[in-house]
Amino acid sequence: MAETLKIGITGVSGRMGQMLVRAVDAADGAEVAAVTERPGADWIGQDLGAAMGGAARGITVSDDPLEMFAKVQAVIDFTSPDASVTHADLAAQARAVHVIGTTGFEDHHLTRFAAAARHATIVRAGNMSLGVNLLTTLTRQVAAALGEDWDVEVVETHHRHKVDAPSGTALMLGQAAADGRGVDLGDVSDRGRDGITGARQKGHIGFAALRGGDVAGEHDVIFAADGERIVLRHLATDRMIFARGAVRAALWGFGKPPGEYDMLDVLGMKRD
């Protein structure tokens, strides 16, 4: 019989944390073995099952990620940039799979991930869904086929509680467009327009972020030229797609050599 992958979940009391528990429960070959929350959270010390309103599971919610990593083979992490970096360091020590769905990273966070990936298998993506990763591939291909006469705009909409903008998915799509054109996104990114900004610069990739209601996630990549537009769109109606994708990434990552991977690797869609 194949080994059951023992998975830890960080930030378990949040909406995504609870969805991750359900997604692991529904997956073949995986089980929740440990969970954490930030120090001082209401769930600390409670049984996970009882805290989620069900039967006791024999898993106590802890505020010690080191204790969690000692019990598991993979950790799924949708927390905050600083917390995810700390977890990556622990994953390196434990030689564990670290699946990161957190967004909003800065360069110094990415440097730490690269260091941790020398010993840990890190799967990090701005979005864990199959559809979005297919959209990323299509965006790269369309951008490569079209010249700079086609303006590129990435428009995203999320629920009112989202704390970072543009979304990690929007940045992933913008990066795909830049890769398709063979340019550095940092050199052509236009992430804010207000007041008298002047005409749009040729070759720039623009971003717009909308926030409101309970929108799970909507992303449009617009290629606009004189007289015509191409719009690539993905609509997420259920956040469970992200949880299922993260569990799939954890199962895929187990046994893989240390390194940095993304969902295109997991889905077998990686470009050459």
Side-chain angles (χ1 to χ4, degrees):
M1 181 179 294
E3 180 180 3
T4 298
L5 185 67
K6 297 183 182 302
I7 294 179
I9 296 172
T10 63
V12 71
S13 71
R15 287 182 298 175
M16 182 54 67
Q18 295 183 57
M19 284 187 181
L20 287 166
V21 171
R22 297 187 184 100
V24 174
D25 287 345
D28 293 330
E31 65 176 349
V32 178
V35 296
T36 62
E37 253 303 340
R38 66 189 184 284
D42 291 342
W43 283 25
I44 298 299
Q46 295 188 47
D47 180 272
L48 173 62
M52 291 183 64
R57 299 175 61 127
I59 300 172
T60 301
V61 180
S62 170
D63 61 2
D64 184 356
L66 179 60
E67 176 185 336
M68 175 182 64
F69 273 94
K71 297 178 178 178
V72 303
Q73 298 153 306
V75 167
I76 303 178
D77 180 359
F78 284 71
T79 52
S80 69
D82 289 341
S84 291
V85 165
T86 298
H87 297 147
D89 292 341
L90 295 174
Q93 295 174 33
R95 304 300 197 265
V97 179
H98 187 196
V99 177
I100 305 171
T102 310
T103 59
F105 296 115
E106 299 178 6
D107 288 344
H108 66 93
H109 297 120
L110 302 182
T111 299
R112 292 272 295 278
F113 289 138
R118 291 198 291 266
H119 303 290
T121 302
I122 294 179
V123 183
R124 182 176 63 85
N127 194 296
M128 297 285 177
S129 83
L130 171 61
V132 161
N133 283 278
L134 178 59
L135 178 61
T136 300
T137 300
L138 293 173
T139 297
R140 183 180 302 107
Q141 293 173 344
V142 173
L146 302 176
E148 286 191 348
D149 288 337
W150 290 76
D151 301 322
V152 183
E153 293 284 322
V154 182
V155 182
E156 55 100 345
T157 305
H158 281 88
H159 53 87
R160 65 171 68 92
H161 302 292
K162 188 166 179 60
V163 298
D164 59 312
S167 69
T169 302
L171 293 173
M172 186 169 72
L173 293 167
Q175 184 63 60
D179 290 346
R181 287 186 166 179
V183 298
D184 186 328
L185 180 61
D187 293 336
V188 299
S189 178
D190 189 344
R191 294 173 57 171
R193 301 185 181 112
D194 186 29
I196 307 300
T197 61
R200 189 187 199 284
Q201 293 193 47
K202 186 174 183 177
H204 273 207
I205 296 173
F207 294 86
L210 310 179
R211 296 289 178 266
D214 62 352
V215 179
E218 299 179 1
H219 293 86
D220 290 342
V221 184
I222 304 168
F223 295 86
D226 291 345
E228 58 184 329
R229 285 179 294 164
I230 298 170
V231 181
L232 306 179
R233 166 172 285 189
H234 180 269
L235 305 178
T237 58
D238 184 351
R239 293 183 184 87
M240 184 57 79
I241 63 173
F242 311 129
R244 287 194 294 263
V247 176
R248 181 170 177 174
L251 290 164
W252 176 89
F254 184 61
K256 295 293 188 298
E260 290 188 270
Y261 302 92
D262 59 25
M263 284 300 290
L264 294 180
D265 293 301
V266 175
L267 299 170
M269 298 165 59
K270 195 71 172 184
R271 66 190 186 280
D272 295 332

